[in-house]
Amino acid sequence: MYYQGAVESTANSESGSRVFLYEVVGLRQSEETDKTNYQIRQSGSVFIRVPYNRMNQEMRRISRLGGKIVSIQSMATLEQLNGNLAANSANGDSNKGNVETTSVANNATDKESRKKDKKGNTMTEAKSKKHGDVPVNIYRPKDPFVGKCLSNEELVGEGGIGTVRHLKFDLSGGDLRYLEGQSIGIIPPGVDKNGKPEKLRLYSIASTQHGDNLDDKTVSLCVRRLEYKHPETGETVYGVCSTYLTGLEPGADVQITGPVGKEMLLPDDPEANIIMMGTGTGIAPFRAYLWRMFKDEERKINTDYQFKGFAWLIFGIPTTPNILYKEELEEIQSKYPDNFRLTYAISREQKNKEGGRMYIQHRCEEYAEELWNMVKDEKTYTYICGLKGMEDGIDAALSAAAAKEGVDWSDYQKQLKKAHRWNVETY
């Protein structure tokens, strides 16, 4: 999955993921700008925070005021990068090439810390990670790793919508290590509209920690080429980094940073239940999870992790040709019917109970009782990845199911998050 930066940026609520920072130049002082809270200057840039649902409206407004948007950044991405810099400063780490790690272990004795919600339901904190420290920012924007593109394959079938590519990069000669659920940064070549080097974009890793070649020397991404209509001109605009990556030729160099992220890490418990709900390229981390759980070659080398739990993927896509990794997903379902359940929400082909398009939130409503029963199990971990718009529908479905037992879903969900059993990465 891709976290959009510039016009392609990641997004979350007012604290980050659904708010964007517009850098604007050329705003003129006028009666209309006097009514705004913009700090108009004769030169330089003005920075404006814009909620996702007002992006197009604000673009038109800025245009009327004579301004020009030179960059759009997700507040979530900026906050993450600032947090990494702050952590580095606090640690006194001035060596860019050094490996920086962050421990996720909460209890050295591996005892379970229990909490209860208002209804007395017992919540269990996640256990310490057996794999120890999590690698973070081994390579930074000022000193990226230069890998090579090994392959670039189309994932959308004939008659599908758009283009999505599976890219594999060679990591030989470097020290880039990662875990399932993390992301890497890609720095596209060239300069932006300001004449400055292009900024990195973050993408969820689509391969296991061993890579698609199982030799610990590759990393893979699932990238959709971003395209949208310009709100003023109506012309089609293509994302800078996504266009660069989807058109990358095998053998080409690529600048890579990271890895980053700890929100989406899998638990070490091989008997855990894993619920995955995703849309489009949000399949990326789930592909990594499923390959680690079920692929024969992976199971042979993961001697300390032999998955015995239950995994359920609810995958939202517009058409059947847009089912990414379809053959491999259905092979796993066929081979492990007792351990893996695969449910599609194909919006332009399937109908919900009201007769409208079938989205992932409708599937959650359909299976709300089953999902709620799984979520209550302290061995269940839920992961949501993709478009943020699905979250409200998921919450509504589970809220209704929980209410039947007198449980307030909002309170219960907060406890799940504290226990690292409800994990979300949406934009």
Side-chain angles (χ1 to χ4, degrees), residues 69-90:
I69 300 172
V70 296
S71 73
I72 303 175
Q73 293 292 322
S74 161
M75 291 301 299
T77 301
L78 293 173
E79 287 169 5
Q80 181 177 23
L81 293 174
N82 288 337
N84 289 337
L85 291 173
N88 297 340
S89 175

Side-chain angles (χ1 to χ4, degrees), residues 218-281:
T218 68
V219 64
S220 297
L221 299 179
C222 176
V223 180
R224 177 182 69 89
R225 184 176 68 177
L226 175 69
E227 50 184 282
Y228 63 97
K229 295 292 184 182
H230 191 282
E232 294 294 330
T233 66
E235 66 178 334
T236 301
V237 180
Y238 297 98
V240 173
C241 194
S242 62
T243 300
Y244 158 67
L245 284 173
T246 54
L248 203 60
E249 294 288 340
D253 289 345
V254 59
Q255 296 186 85
I256 302 173
T257 68
V260 297
K262 295 178 288 180
E263 175 69 18
M264 300 289 283
L265 297 180
L266 273 176
D268 283 316
D269 185 358
E271 297 182 355
N273 301 314
I274 308 296
I275 298 173
M276 298 161 281
M277 294 181 275
T279 58
T281 54

Side-chain angles (χ1 to χ4, degrees), residues 121-146:
N121 297 294
T122 301
M123 310 298 291
T124 305
E125 293 284 356
K127 295 180 180 180
S128 303
K129 303 289 285 183
K130 294 178 182 177
H131 52 235
D133 291 340
V134 178
V136 177
N137 288 329
I138 297 173
Y139 290 94
R140 304 176 184 279
K142 291 185 178 179
D143 189 18
F145 172 75
V146 179

Side-chain angles (χ1 to χ4, degrees), residues 56 59-61 63-64 229-235:
N56 288 343
M59 285 179 181
R60 293 190 291 270
R61 180 177 173 85
S63 179
R64 289 198 304 271
K229 295 292 184 182
H230 191 282
E232 294 294 330
T233 66
E235 66 178 334

Side-chain angles (χ1 to χ4, degrees), residues 92 100 103 106 139 193 225 232 274 282 292 314 384 405:
E100 176 186 343
S103 175
N106 293 320
Y139 290 94
K193 294 179 181 180
R225 184 176 68 177
E232 294 294 330
I274 308 296
R292 180 166 170 78
I314 305 177
I384 300 173
E405 298 182 9

Side-chain angles (χ1 to χ4, degrees), residues 380-400:
T380 298
Y381 296 75
T382 302
Y383 299 84
I384 300 173
C385 192
L387 295 174
K388 187 174 179 65
M390 64 178 150
E391 286 188 69
D392 289 345
I394 293 171
D395 285 338
L398 287 169
S399 180

